[in-house]
Amino acid sequence: MSISLPRSVSRPASAGVHGLPLIDLLKVFAAQCIVWHHFALYGPMGNALAQRAESVSEVLVDMALWVVQIFLVVGGFLAARGSLPAPGVHRPISASELWILGWARWRRLAVPALVALLAAVLAAALARWMGDDPDTPAAPTLAQVLAHVFFLQDLVGLPALSSGVWYLAIDLQLQWGLLALLLLRDRLPQRWRRLATAAAVVGAVALSLLVWNLDPDLDAWALYFVGAWGLGVLAAWARGARSPAVARVWWGWILLLGLLALWVEPRERVGLAVITALLLAGPWQDAMARWCWPRVLTGLSCSSYALFLVHYPVALVVGAMVDRLWPGAVVPALWALGLAWGLSMLAAQALHLGVELRWASPAKSRERVAVAQTALVHGAVPGPR
């Protein structure tokens, strides 16, 4: 079967290929919130912010972390658009396609993450040499390093080497879970695949929001987060629906599951996930292309993952330096926040251009993924098996 490549495969895979400015805006906003959440949470700069602007510090520490729900919903939305844009898509996934997509996701996450983790280990060593802040991580063990390579650190109970690494493990579990769903779906008779796929996603979202997400002991597993991620999948199905009636069905499921979850136990993060899913599901986001700055927004969106990874080692070094030069001083520590942010933005661009595009998702890898996704979604439908 001959498959023509999408025109987008020559562009960076990290952002800008989906053609939805709202996703870029959400990624940029969420990444900035996470950066400032960690700035406010750790080290002498965080302590200075709490002393001088307590209310701002409380908001950043307690509320900025909610934006993880935005990452989850957007992740589910993009994953569905790439591999399962509708529950009725029943092109069987081959072993080679499964390997290509699964390996590509690990490589996309792991290569820049391992570089950033190396930077975090070196930054922590420098910070320990310059001071004795209790928030500075200890020197890593071999077991920690190996666990981080495969994103198993939380599952085996080992301390993280950098902030936010837990999310990468969850993202990988969710992405591989979707591929497993496709593999299991292909074992069913063809006439049952559409219903079974839809029921599996809706059921997983319901169980997560109503049961698993209420148990904090499960937060190292995708089960805890699949509710928000699955809402993103439903939003993608609504967005790609062939008729307004079908779209309204998926909107209804998003609202029903969200309201039911909030009735069982009110959770701000669940409310934010529902709002994000509804925004992505609606057609109104097309109007954003008329007023946003696409090049600036796409550029920041492309480097948002790199920023998520690299801001912590930057903050470690800047915080340790300011504490060594002006121990206990509030004003220099506040100025250092701005310095840490600016250096983080520069380091993110360097990591994105030097590592993500060259090694994590080079052109050949993007091409193979595009071919696999195109075959999976748009390939010829075989007869009953």
Side-chain angles (χ1 to χ4, degrees), residues 21-68:
L22 178 60
I23 288 183
D24 289 331
L25 183 62
L26 289 172
K27 288 173 61 179
V28 171
F29 169 75
Q32 291 294 330
C33 286
I34 291 298
V35 167
W36 284 95
H37 166 75
H38 290 142
F39 283 178
L41 190 62
Y42 300 119
M45 296 186 297
N47 295 334
L49 184 64
Q51 294 178 41
R52 185 56 63 91
E54 184 178 359
S55 59
V56 174
S57 177
E58 289 177 354
V59 169
L60 291 175
V61 170
D62 298 332
M63 298 176 62
L65 195 58
W66 296 352
V67 300
V68 168

Side-chain angles (χ1 to χ4, degrees), residues 289-371:
R290 302 174 185 173
W291 59 264
C292 69
W293 303 283
R295 289 191 177 184
V296 175
L297 192 61
T298 299
L300 292 175
S301 175
C302 284
S303 60
S304 61
Y305 177 55
L307 179 64
F308 179 85
L309 293 173
V310 81
H311 72 276
Y312 180 69
V314 172
L316 270 179
V317 173
V318 173
M321 287 180 61
V322 74
D323 195 46
R324 184 178 181 88
L325 294 174
W326 301 281
V330 174
V331 174
L334 293 177
W335 280 104
L337 283 170
L339 176 63
W341 179 81
L343 291 176
S344 296
M345 297 293 288
L346 292 175
Q349 287 296 324
L351 181 62
H352 172 64
L353 297 175
V355 177
E356 274 194 281
L357 294 185
R358 289 177 179 270
W359 305 106
S361 55
K364 288 185 178 180
S365 176
R366 294 199 299 270
E367 184 173 317
R368 286 194 296 268
V369 171
V371 169

Side-chain angles (χ1 to χ4, degrees), residues 125-146:
L126 183 59
R128 289 193 302 271
W129 175 75
M130 289 191 290
D132 56 355
D133 187 86
D135 291 332
T136 303
T141 64
L142 178 60
Q144 274 182 284
V145 173
L146 294 176

Side-chain angles (χ1 to χ4, degrees), residues 91-174:
R91 160 70 161 81
I93 186 170
S94 67
S96 61
E97 292 162 350
L98 186 69
W99 166 255
I100 288 171
L101 296 175
W103 163 254
R105 190 57 190 174
W106 179 87
R107 180 175 178 174
R108 167 76 179 85
L109 291 174
V111 171
L114 293 176
V115 173
L117 286 172
L118 176 60
V121 170
L122 296 176
L126 183 59
R128 289 193 302 271
W129 175 75
M130 289 191 290
D132 56 355
D133 187 86
D135 291 332
T136 303
T141 64
L142 178 60
Q144 274 182 284
V145 173
L146 294 176
H148 279 72
V149 170
F150 300 102
F151 301 119
L152 297 174
Q153 67 283 341
D154 294 316
L155 299 181
V156 297
L158 293 174
L161 298 177
S162 184
S163 64
V165 184
W166 66 269
Y167 180 82
L168 309 184
I170 296 300
D171 182 278
L172 194 63
Q173 291 180 39
L174 290 167

